[in-house]
Amino acid sequence: MNSVQLIGNLGKDNDVKFGQSGNAVLNQSLAVKRSFKDKQTGEYATDWINLVLFGKTAENFANFTKKGSKVGIEGRIQTGSYDNKQGVKVYTTDVIVNNFHLLDAREQSQVNSQGQQQSMHNNANNNQYNYGRDSRLAEAQQVDIRNDELPF
């Protein structure tokens, strides 16, 4: 089974592109803090995960998130390769996102399957909102990342 669940903060502003067929594509990076501290520095290391979103999921994601937004995602790993300008084969690993949750602690909005926005207030008992094609994202364990821990 190829299934991934991650929680982190977005590393850049959203830039949705549209393919020849008109389908939206969004490439994004997710900063995910490791669960242990570096022995040398005493700091938590951060892994940068490449995300790819398509279609309505990409459009909704771009409308409701920005650089630094805390999100939970569900997707699958996809590997690939290409030859760079120097003719060297470069290997890639991306997470193709199927669903996402907004996890910031402020008031949230949810988009239903028809793309209609519904306002929701975030509270301690209900702090995950599902977006995307389906609602199978299991309850994810939240990771506490302070703004001063982000490299951007």
Side-chain angles (χ1 to χ4, degrees):
M1 178 187 317
N2 184 350
S3 180
V4 175
Q5 293 181 2
L6 297 167
I7 293 177
N9 295 80
L10 299 181
K12 60 185 178 181
D13 290 324
N14 294 310
D15 183 20
V16 178
K17 299 195 183 323
F18 293 87
Q20 292 177 346
S21 63
N23 287 329
V25 178
L26 174 61
N27 291 291
Q28 183 54 268
S29 60
L30 186 69
V32 179
K33 183 175 83 170
R34 292 186 185 171
S35 61
F36 56 90
K37 292 182 179 181
D38 182 281
K39 290 179 183 177
Q40 301 284 330
T41 65
E43 301 287 323
Y44 289 100
T46 301
D47 290 306
W48 289 92
I49 312 297
N50 294 321
L51 306 178
V52 182
L53 299 93
F54 296 99
K56 201 66 164 163
T57 304
E59 292 178 49
N60 288 338
F61 192 87
N63 286 332
F64 293 100
T65 63
K66 62 182 179 180
K67 180 178 178 178
S69 293
K70 187 175 201 172
V71 296
I73 64 100
E74 178 188 78
R76 64 181 170 81
I77 293 177
Q78 180 171 300
T79 60
S81 65
Y82 65 91
D83 293 330
N84 68 11
K85 293 178 183 177
Q86 293 76 28
V88 176
K89 186 171 284 265
V90 177
Y91 294 93
T92 62
T93 302
D94 299 310
V95 172
I96 308 303
V97 177
N98 296 325
N99 301 301
F100 67 93
H101 291 252
L102 301 181
L103 300 177
D104 285 323
R106 61 184 178 270
E107 184 174 75
Q108 304 291 326
S109 296
Q110 180 176 4
V111 175
N112 65 23
S113 60
Q114 288 79 36
Q116 297 168 328
Q117 183 176 344
Q118 300 171 336
S119 180
M120 302 181 77
H121 185 69
N122 188 11
N123 63 46
N125 297 325
N126 186 14
N127 63 355
Q128 295 181 345
Y129 304 104
N130 185 51
Y131 297 79
R133 287 185 271 236
D134 61 41
S135 58
R136 295 176 301 176
L137 183 59
E139 286 191 27
Q141 191 176 28
Q142 287 196 19
V143 178
D144 238 0
I145 299 177
R146 295 184 320 263
N147 285 339
D148 61 343
E149 293 178 324
L150 294 174
F152 46 86

